[in-house]
Amino acid sequence: MKNFILILFSIVLFNIGATAQTVTLKQVGKDNVLLSSTLSISAHSAGFLYSVDQNGSIYKTDLTSGEYSRVGKATYSHLKFFFTLNNRLYVIDDDGSMTQIDPATGNWSVLSNMGYWKEITYVVVVGNTFYAIENGVLYRYYGFNTSTRKPIGEAEFYTPGFMFKYEASLYTMVSNGTFYEINTSTGAWKKIAKSKNWRGNLSSVVKDKLYSIEDSGAFSETTLADGTKKELDNTQLKKSRYLFEEGGKLYTRTSEGNLYEIVIN
């Protein structure tokens, strides 16, 4: 009987070990390299993180090698929105103008004059499509021309929260901690799991999972299909200040200006 209990206990321990997930932080680049970058102004595409420092200079970090370099010599000190589309960088200044930038050379050109984008309050790129919010309405653009834009759904985007995408899907985390998937054809909001389940944290989607870091540093994974949430780690990500997905991988930037790939096994 004693041997049977020992065997049963060993089986239980083996099963727990087989299903447990481990979280490893793999540093990308040097220490403190992003310390001067503005957290709220960054973009990522094609294996690069693009960040803007306090002087308005744009830098790129190769997420594979960690190489860090400046994009051109121009500065964008009045930048309001910053995004990537079709392997180009775009800046919308607070005067409503738009500038296109080649991330390889830093060469730039003005696409829209002052005032053109003055009324928009949010921009997001999903797939290869540019969306902007104006007067609470989400618009889909065909090119950067307001005459061809199409409203998506009703005027339900006055307080859209933090919007982010994964491939062709759009998500938002509103201020009360509720997470939604937004249908980019109809504008409909679909609630994922319980309300207020992610208050005050960083979030990103990879494939069919939502990953979030709470203010306490607790790192969780939520299955989008049924809203099942489980904690993966509660010690390593306390200094995280920015979380994003690029190329199917998850990355975080810390308060110390360090960049890490989050590896989940």
Side-chain angles (χ1 to χ4, degrees):
M1 183 65 179
K2 182 178 180 181
N3 289 336
F4 174 77
I5 293 174
L6 288 174
I7 293 172
L8 181 61
F9 182 66
S10 298
I11 292 173
V12 171
L13 288 178
F14 175 81
N15 287 333
I16 292 174
T19 58
Q21 291 176 283
T22 59
V23 176
T24 304
L25 300 186
K26 177 183 176 183
Q27 186 163 347
V28 180
K30 299 178 181 179
D31 285 342
N32 315 122
V33 70
L34 297 175
L35 192 59
S36 64
S37 65
T38 305
L39 275 173
S40 60
I41 303 176
S42 60
H44 48 89
S45 176
F48 286 90
L49 170 68
Y50 298 95
S51 54
V52 182
D53 72 7
Q54 296 169 353
N55 298 316
S57 301
I58 299 176
Y59 289 84
K60 62 181 178 181
T61 303
D62 187 319
L63 295 174
T64 299
S65 68
E67 181 181 354
Y68 179 77
S69 58
R70 186 171 175 180
V71 178
K73 297 180 179 180
T75 57
Y76 304 89
S77 56
H78 298 285
L79 183 152
K80 183 178 181 181
F81 300 112
F82 181 50
F83 60 96
T84 66
L85 177 63
N86 294 327
N87 297 319
R88 289 290 185 270
L89 303 176
Y90 295 87
V91 166
I92 297 178
D93 280 337
D94 53 17
D95 64 6
S97 62
M98 179 188 287
T99 302
Q100 176 183 271
I101 305 160
D102 184 332
T105 65
N107 294 337
W108 57 271
S109 59
V110 175
L111 296 185
S112 307
N113 294 324
M114 291 187 299
Y116 195 86
W117 302 99
K118 191 72 173 178
E119 301 304 319
I120 64 173
T121 56
Y122 205 108
V123 301
V124 64
V125 173
V126 184
N128 293 317
T129 303
F130 173 71
Y131 295 84
I133 296 175
E134 182 178 336
N135 294 322
V137 178
L138 178 67
Y139 289 95
R140 174 175 180 164
Y141 283 78
Y142 299 87
F144 297 115
N145 191 331
T146 56
S147 66
T148 64
R149 69 181 183 178
K150 176 185 177 183
I152 306 298
E154 304 298 328
E156 298 179 325
F157 295 86
Y158 285 101
T159 54
F162 171 63
M163 302 178 77
F164 53 97
K165 56 91 177 180
Y166 176 72
E167 295 182 343
S169 298
L170 178 62
Y171 303 92
T172 186
M173 188 76 66
V174 298
S175 59
N176 71 355
T178 308
F179 177 63
Y180 295 91
E181 180 176 0
I182 297 175
N183 188 310
T184 53
S185 296
T186 66
W189 297 47
K190 176 185 176 183
K191 185 188 295 184
I192 305 295
K194 298 178 181 179
S195 297
K196 304 179 182 179
N197 207 19
W198 295 276
R199 182 184 294 274
N201 55 36
L202 308 173
S203 300
S204 188
V205 169
V206 180
K207 297 181 180 178
D208 60 344
K209 300 289 195 306
L210 167 69
Y211 294 94
S212 55
I213 304 173
E214 299 178 5
D215 290 341
S216 65
F219 177 57
S220 299
E221 175 187 87
T222 301
T223 303
L224 296 181
D226 58 15
T228 301
K229 180 180 179 182
K230 61 180 178 180
E231 185 176 297
L232 302 181
D233 186 274
N234 60 13
T235 60
Q236 300 184 80
L237 295 162
K238 293 181 181 296
K239 295 182 179 180
S240 290
R241 297 295 180 268
Y242 182 57
L243 183 69
F244 67 98
E245 174 275 333
E246 174 55 36
K249 297 180 179 180
L250 195 62
Y251 298 88
T252 187
R253 179 237 155 124
T254 70
S255 57
E256 298 170 328
N258 297 339
L259 181 64
Y260 297 94
E261 179 186 349
I262 302 174
V263 181
I264 304 169
N265 296 312

